[in-house]
Amino acid sequence: MKQPDEFWWRHGVFYQIYPRSFQDSNGDGVGDLRGIIERLPYLVSLGIDAIWLSPIFPSPMADFGYDIADYTGIDPLFGTMADFDALIAAAHDGGLKLILDLVPNHTSDQHPWFLESRRSRDNPKRDWYIWRDPNAAGGPPNNWLSEFGGSAWQYDAATGQYYYHAFLAQQPDLNWRNPEVRHAIHEVMRFWLRKGVDGFRVDVIWHLIKDAEFRDNPPNPSFREGRPPHEQILPLRTTDQVEVHDAIAEMRRVIDEFPARVLIGEIYLPTERLVTYYGRELGGAHLPFNFALLSAPWNARAIEKIIHDYEAALPQGAWPNWVLGNHDRPRVASRVGQDQARVATMLLLTLRGTPTLYYGDEIGMHQVAIAPGQVRDPFEKNVPGIGVGRDGCRTPMQWDAGRFAGFSTSTPWLPLSDDFVHENVVNLQADARSILNLYKALIGLRSNLPELMIGSYVPVAAQGDLLIYRRQSEVDALVIALNLGDQPTSISSEAAALRGEILISTFLDRRGEKIKDTVDLRGNEGVIIGVLGAQPG
Ligand code: GLC
């Protein structure tokens, strides 16, 4: 029997699907599992290797599925377990891996565990959550703040105690210091792993353990008005506690009970803290998500420094990864502009390490403006008007120019972008030089060229708007030259050994062009050059 490739996640390209917004199959305006099955041929045609689904489990949807009421079921909105089984079989048939979202930090307040826990102080599940007495004045136990606004403590009059919730009050945090909780979540993991899922993206993994003594968080001296209120304190006691690494190592051991599965962690931390999540002797997450590009100032020096610092901080043997967008952050096309989005794509798909794409970025989807009456995101509802809303990056996928963009036969749960008549999969597929075809071409190159897949990263230059680096295998090298500005520029061989041939331009119109000593770049252009006679570095 053929052994599964244990390290597929190093070589593959991941693609995040936000299931509510990908494809609706039953006309209720919300995407579902059958819809994803219908669109598998599209995903295969992109050339990606794995899909990650945001949560599909039974949920009151207070945080659109990140509030789970049953870890081993499927929410009827998304379909049935039979649909899930059909999806995993079809994905695997198409050569795609399937990654689920695991949300172990908190449950829904409607989860049977929490319903029991809140029943009485001596309920056997009381300690599965984080309950504390009021402070001396009768207020919350300490100054911890919820990421979605207000105190992180919710008073429960029936039992006279507060429970902790890092996010909504409807999302009580589980007590990860309790071994029964750990065991229960491990069993959840095994349930899905036995079904054949190829791994998990673990939600807010750096939050799992909180300070054992419940000490206050210190004030944040750099807090600025206009920022989300929870940033007034530094989450020193509520996140990134040293004991979290033991909890993650245990999860990893569960993953390792099954061949060729992957553990990805959602972690927003500075690089030097982030890389500790690979774990002692790499026994933590295989891929602690690297979100550095999500907030990168869009200039060559800043980006080169981000790459350099990350590469330098990686523990021996740790595999890098990069992300340009997700369901919590503004779309890349809006952050860097439509023109630079192509350059950003070339960056993402030519850096060393596993890239994760966000659905719709491949067709250049931008942030969609959400009118006040259309807001669905609880973060925006609780903390209105300062731009934290996440609805604008979660709008329906734009498949075609038909009514509702081919996403649904009825009004979608979030508004469609008003440019969908042009900016849609059908149109962009037909346009040989579209961003969609750029994505496909870059993914294709990446999976065919060992330099891109596993070659080393060698910085070359970061001057003005120009970012240049090499990707090098034992025999061959590529030069990637990105113009992060809108003015033309040229690079001479003094800056980089360039003799060779253009393999691809972000405009998809220079393939095969020979390069001798200089290469001229148009504004907003990036190129990959296959260089001749490259010396292994
Ligand atoms: C993660 C999810 C986000 C969710 C939060 C609480 O950050 O990505 O969407 O709101 O966790 O579960």
Side-chain angles (χ1 to χ4, degrees):
M1 205 183 102
K2 194 169 168 274
Q3 289 299 314
D5 173 11
E6 199 188 338
F7 296 117
W8 62 269
W9 46 269
R10 293 190 180 176
H11 310 148
V13 174
F14 285 66
Y15 183 98
Q16 179 188 357
I17 290 179
Y18 194 68
R20 294 183 72 90
S21 296
F22 199 60
Q23 178 65 57
D24 176 17
S25 74
N26 63 352
D28 63 359
V30 177
D32 47 47
L33 299 180
R34 287 270 155 205
I36 298 172
I37 295 174
E38 283 171 25
R39 295 299 184 180
L40 283 174
Y42 168 75
L43 296 167
V44 170
S45 79
L46 280 179
I48 56 146
D49 299 274
I51 51 183
W52 147 39
L53 305 183
S54 281
I56 51 173
F57 318 104
S59 163
M61 302 288 165
D63 190 19
F64 294 110
Y66 285 95
D67 48 322
I68 295 173
D70 172 3
Y71 280 105
T72 54
I74 301 292
D75 195 286
L77 198 57
F78 296 122
T80 62
M81 193 57 88
D83 294 334
F84 178 79
D85 291 338
L87 171 60
I88 193 163
H92 285 166
D93 279 351
L96 297 176
K97 308 280 187 186
L98 186 72
I99 308 294
L100 288 184
D101 217 309
L102 180 74
V103 189
N105 179 69
H106 44 267
T107 68
S108 162
D109 63 348
Q110 300 306 308
H111 195 293
W113 298 341
F114 188 70
L115 295 177
E116 274 197 53
S117 183
R118 79 186 314 174
R119 202 163 289 154
S120 68
R121 289 196 187 203
D122 55 10
N123 186 282
K125 292 242 167 17
R126 186 65 167 182
D127 186 54
W128 279 41
Y129 292 83
I130 302 172
W131 291 98
R132 302 289 289 169
D133 287 332
N135 68 15
N142 63 24
N143 74 347
W144 295 356
L145 295 177
S146 155
E147 299 232 348
F148 289 158
S151 169
W153 295 99
Q154 176 72 23
Y155 187 63
D156 185 58
T159 55
Q161 284 190 313
Y162 284 84
Y163 66 85
Y164 176 71
H165 57 91
F167 297 91
L168 297 174
Q170 296 96 314
Q171 293 169 294
D173 279 45
L174 283 163
N175 175 14
W176 270 79
R177 293 182 183 275
N178 183 322
E180 291 175 15
V181 166
R182 295 180 180 213
H183 178 71
I185 295 292
H186 296 162
E187 285 302 300
V188 169
M189 294 172 71
R190 291 188 183 101
F191 174 86
W192 293 109
L193 291 166
R194 278 186 208 113
K195 276 195 172 286
V197 311
D198 298 287
F200 298 102
R201 170 270 190 190
V202 184
D203 192 63
V204 296
I205 203 169
W206 85 114
H207 274 254
L208 292 181
I209 301 275
K210 294 63 159 150
D211 183 40
E213 296 167 45
F214 293 90
R215 286 168 288 186
D216 274 355
N217 273 323
N220 173 5
S222 335
F223 178 74
R224 286 181 288 112
E225 268 329 303
R227 296 290 308 162
H230 73 273
E231 291 184 8
Q232 290 172 65
I233 56 171
L234 295 169
L236 240 58
R237 308 285 184 206
T238 36
T239 63
D240 196 27
Q241 304 298 293
V242 331
E243 302 100 311
V244 78
H245 295 291
D246 297 329
I248 298 172
E250 284 178 15
M251 282 187 180
R252 170 61 182 275
R253 287 198 284 276
V254 175
I255 288 278
D256 288 345
E257 291 168 15
F258 299 78
R261 313 298 162 102
V262 67
L263 188 67
I264 305 171
E266 185 206 20
I267 300 145
Y268 285 92
L269 283 175
T271 300
E272 66 278 9
R273 301 295 317 147
L274 171 68
V275 295
T276 64
Y277 284 74
Y278 284 101
R280 232 170 291 121
E281 290 167 18
L282 304 184
H286 292 106
L287 300 174
F289 261 148
N290 167 17
F291 294 133
L293 291 177
L294 290 178
S295 48
W298 209 248
N299 68 71
R301 257 175 214 282
I303 293 174
E304 189 187 61
K305 183 168 179 346
I306 285 172
I307 304 168
H308 171 272
D309 291 352
Y310 181 62
E311 285 275 348
L314 285 171
Q316 185 76 31
W319 187 251
N321 77 91
W322 296 93
V323 178
L324 264 187
N326 64 31
H327 65 293
D328 293 324
R329 294 296 164 116
R331 290 242 179 218
V332 60
S334 299
R335 294 201 317 269
V336 304
Q338 212 68 251
D339 295 332
Q340 276 295 310
R342 286 172 170 257
V343 177
T345 303
M346 186 172 275
L347 174 72
L348 176 71
L349 290 166
T350 56
L351 284 173
R352 193 176 79 91
T354 304
T356 299
L357 316 180
Y358 182 50
Y359 88 94
D361 281 351
E362 77 275 20
I363 55 168
M365 278 175 68
H366 54 78
Q367 272 313 88
V368 174
I370 306 291
Q374 293 174 320
V375 171
R376 304 293 301 267
D377 179 14
F379 193 7
E380 175 68 23
K381 286 187 176 170
N382 286 1
V383 184
I386 60 166
V388 297
R390 301 172 294 175
D391 294 324
C393 68
R394 296 174 175 179
T395 59
M397 181 68 177
Q398 299 157 205
W399 295 104
D400 59 44
R403 200 157 177 242
F404 307 125
F407 164 72
S408 177
T409 52
S410 66
T411 308
W413 75 288
L414 278 176
L416 279 155
S417 164
D418 49 20
D419 64 3
F420 80 82
V421 175
H422 304 287
E423 308 304 317
N424 62 61
V425 169
V426 168
N427 266 357
L428 297 180
Q429 243 156 6
D431 171 357
R433 294 180 183 168
S434 67
I435 185 164
L436 177 56
N437 282 315
L438 173 64
Y439 263 91
K440 286 190 192 175
L442 285 168
I443 294 170
L445 274 183
R446 193 180 168 93
S447 42
N448 286 315
L449 295 175
E451 299 90 303
L452 285 181
M453 212 192 275
I454 52 171
S456 59
Y457 163 85
V458 185
V460 175
Q463 295 153 354
D465 286 329
L466 260 183
L467 177 64
I468 310 174
Y469 49 92
R470 267 206 322 266
R471 294 294 312 281
Q472 194 145 331
S473 69
E474 276 170 21
V475 278
D476 290 312
L478 305 171
V479 169
I480 292 98
L482 306 175
N483 183 355
L484 304 187
D486 59 5
Q487 294 304 306
T489 181
S490 69
I491 314 162
S492 69
S493 262
E494 288 136 47
L498 291 174
R499 253 174 80 81
E501 182 178 311
I502 292 185
L503 302 181
I504 187 171
S505 150
T506 48
F507 292 109
L508 293 173
D509 58 358
R510 293 177 75 175
R511 184 159 156 218
E513 193 181 307
K514 300 275 182 279
I515 303 294
K516 270 206 192 127
D517 306 313
T518 57
V519 57
D520 295 320
L521 291 183
R522 289 163 282 181
N524 301 309
E525 181 174 29
V527 294
I528 304 179
I529 304 168
V531 292
L532 299 170
Q535 292 303 309

